[in-house]
Amino acid sequence: MRKKIVAGNWKMNTTVAEGVELAKGIVAKVNDISKGVSLIVAPPFTHLASVGEVLKGSPVALSAQDCADQPKGAFTGEVSAAMLKGVGCAYTILGHSERREYYGETSPKLVKKMAMAFENGLKVIYCVGEKLDQREMGNHFDVVSQQISEVLFDLTPEQMKNVVIAYEPVWAIGTGVTATSAQAQEIHAFIRETLRVHFGEKVAEETTILYGGSCKPSNAKELFACPDIDGGLIGGASLKADDFIAIAQAW
Ligand code: PGA
């Protein structure tokens, strides 16, 4: 059975104090969700230590939103995978469309970041997804397939155990427009098939593939009922503990 995951990507939101309150709100309700669902929260770097303290002893895992592509040294402003591990992160998100779009992240850079994450024992939530014009031109399968092959295909099946894929159509992120469950299922099945062709049946069947893009309590149930959707990467709706928990209760 694949792991079901609901992960909250807080992006550049909340002060440390607000983040601590949000984490407390999530931990207080974690028993309301079914045991088979794993929760992850990804606060900003500055919040990791304090939010990590709140999560201690709870089943909620801590994630970063990014990590450096270098191990250490003169890289002003960067945060290394070793630092993230040291502060208690189990995961880091990599390749979010906002990082690709606004910070010029390319596949070669993501390959290096992924290597840093694995060397330091972090699991990776690897984001893929097409832009609106790419979908309108019918190129979404090619775009996603390229994002997967360029960054994941040199990994071993063993390393793939530490990868969660998040399919996030850029046109659905923060827009209120959600992919229909049929659109999402179609591309999730395509992603799983892509893994099957390259890595084989076991990796394909065991890899958790999350949907992200305006996922909220009102649409999570329909999305998560799809056979190839194993949960969600949640932005806006993860900033309210009640909504985040309600999404995790959608199964
Ligand atoms: P959203 O963001 O839920 O606010 O659309 C999802 C994401 O970017 O991870």
Side-chain angles (χ1 to χ4, degrees):
M1 262 267 282
R2 284 192 288 277
K3 202 166 173 175
K4 294 185 170 84
I5 294 176
V6 173
N9 174 11
W10 296 2
K11 306 192 181 183
M12 197 170 73
N13 292 299
T14 74
T15 61
V16 174
E18 288 162 353
V20 163
E21 282 314 301
L22 176 53
K24 283 182 180 165
I26 293 166
V27 168
K29 297 211 165 111
V30 77
N31 289 332
D32 297 352
I33 67 166
S34 105
K35 287 276 174 283
V37 179
S38 302
L39 290 186
I40 302 171
V41 293
F45 289 134
T46 45
H47 303 29
L48 290 170
S50 333
V51 168
E53 279 305 312
V54 177
L55 302 185
K56 256 190 200 144
S58 88
V60 184
L62 187 64
S63 174
Q65 298 174 14
D66 185 29
C67 77
D69 64 344
Q70 300 292 330
K72 66 175 186 176
F75 300 100
T76 301
E78 289 293 289
V79 176
S80 74
M83 294 170 187
L84 298 176
K85 187 68 182 176
V87 78
C89 287
Y91 290 84
T92 184
I93 297 171
L94 288 179
H96 191 281
S97 62
E98 288 149 16
R99 304 247 16 121
R100 293 180 192 262
E101 178 76 13
Y102 309 141
Y103 302 96
E105 292 208 351
T106 55
S107 291
K109 187 157 262 198
L110 289 166
V111 166
K112 285 195 197 167
K113 289 186 175 205
M114 190 137 338
M116 286 298 132
F118 289 152
E119 266 175 43
N120 289 283
L122 295 175
K123 296 180 177 166
V124 171
I125 301 173
Y126 176 59
C127 304
V128 298
E130 80 285 357
K131 297 182 197 169
L132 183 59
D133 60 325
Q134 293 167 330
R135 176 162 282 262
E136 283 173 347
M137 289 187 311
N139 288 343
H140 44 298
F141 294 111
D142 288 345
V143 169
V144 167
S145 152
Q146 191 176 349
Q147 289 166 335
I148 294 205
S149 63
E150 287 181 349
V151 176
L152 299 183
F153 273 12
D154 282 340
L155 300 179
T156 63
E158 200 55 31
Q159 288 173 316
M160 280 301 292
K161 288 185 183 158
N162 295 320
V163 174
V164 171
I165 295 174
Y167 168 68
E168 302 201 300
V170 178
W171 47 272
I173 295 177
T175 57
V177 180
T178 318
T180 64
S181 54
Q183 283 173 322
Q185 167 56 28
E186 181 185 38
I187 199 139
H188 278 235
F190 169 79
I191 292 169
R192 206 175 296 291
E193 183 56 26
T194 304
L195 298 178
R196 185 173 285 117
V197 169
H198 184 77
F199 291 104
E201 185 67 19
K202 191 167 155 65
V203 169
E205 279 310 310
E206 290 179 358
T207 302
T208 295
I209 307 177
L210 308 179
Y211 169 79
S214 298
C215 184
K216 43 191 179 250
S218 59
N219 58 29
K221 202 176 179 128
E222 195 184 328
L223 286 161
F224 297 176
C226 297
D228 288 297
I229 301 182
D230 308 311
L233 179 57
I234 320 298
S238 74
L239 297 172
K240 285 197 186 126
D242 286 347
D243 286 354
F244 187 57
I245 293 289
I247 291 170
Q249 288 171 324
W251 279 281

